[in-house]
Amino acid sequence: MATFPMTRVRVGAASSAAVVTLLVTAALGNQALSSWRTARESSGAWNGWVSVLFQPTQLVGWRFSAPSGTDGTDHWLAPLVFNVVLVVGATVLVALTSRSGGRLAAAAATWGAVTLVGGIAAAVCTPLAYAGVRGPAAQAFALSVPLGLSLGFILGFIAALLALVFGGEGAPASNSAE
């Protein structure tokens, strides 16, 4: 089995993907901000720009208990699965794709990998989110996967900027004495 040296660029890119996705899912996705996310999603400010940017954040809305009231049909496990797949998948895929090249290549790999993982996470959680809801399954995927790709695109851009800034020079990160 081949081993890949962990360069500073690769570690910086993977760390930036992990930090950005983890902070967004923990901060914006928590149960206390549910009404805030909904208000931003339905706002008409700036001809819908705000709502377009905040609509994908509905996917990260996690909770540890089943919802009640008007949201009683929402499945509480789907966002948790989405968040785990997004954070872990983005970190692993960025670490795998940013193994060669400089900081610019690592930033491009980070942006692309986080975008792709956003779509994959949405596809993975869709069966849970729509469990028990009647209707065609293709329509459910057509609703959630573009939102996942949009969220991944936005988070990937932020992670790519961090990878550019904190990527290092690409020298091996080993501490071997010569």
Side-chain angles (χ1 to χ4, degrees):
M1 182 171 166
T3 60
F4 303 107
M6 292 298 285
T7 63
R8 289 186 185 145
V9 170
R10 187 173 174 193
V11 170
S15 299
S16 68
V19 166
V20 168
T21 56
L22 189 60
L23 283 176
V24 167
T25 57
L28 289 180
N30 72 48
Q31 187 173 339
L33 292 178
S34 176
S35 61
W36 181 83
R37 282 191 315 272
T38 304
R40 295 307 169 278
E41 178 188 356
S42 60
S43 71
W46 298 327
N47 295 329
W49 261 98
V50 174
S51 66
V52 168
L53 291 175
F54 279 94
Q55 187 176 11
T57 61
Q58 295 296 330
L59 289 173
V60 298
W62 55 268
R63 61 187 320 124
F64 287 115
S65 60
S68 61
T70 59
D71 298 327
T73 58
D74 291 349
H75 199 290
W76 60 272
L77 185 60
L80 291 176
V81 170
F82 177 85
N83 291 336
V84 168
V85 171
L86 181 67
V87 173
V88 173
T91 304
V92 170
L93 193 58
V94 168
L96 291 174
T97 58
S98 63
R99 62 180 147 159
S100 62
R103 287 195 288 183
L104 190 57
T110 300
W111 195 357
V114 175
T115 301
L116 178 66
V117 170
I120 291 170
V124 167
C125 81
T126 297
L128 290 172
Y130 291 93
V133 177
R134 295 176 196 244
Q139 184 180 7
F141 282 99
L143 292 172
S144 63
V145 172
L147 286 177
L149 288 170
S150 297
L151 183 64
F153 187 80
I154 294 166
L155 297 181
F157 179 74
I158 296 167
L161 289 177
L162 287 176
L164 276 173
V165 173
F166 298 110
E169 297 101 23
S174 63
N175 292 338
S176 60
E178 297 184 85

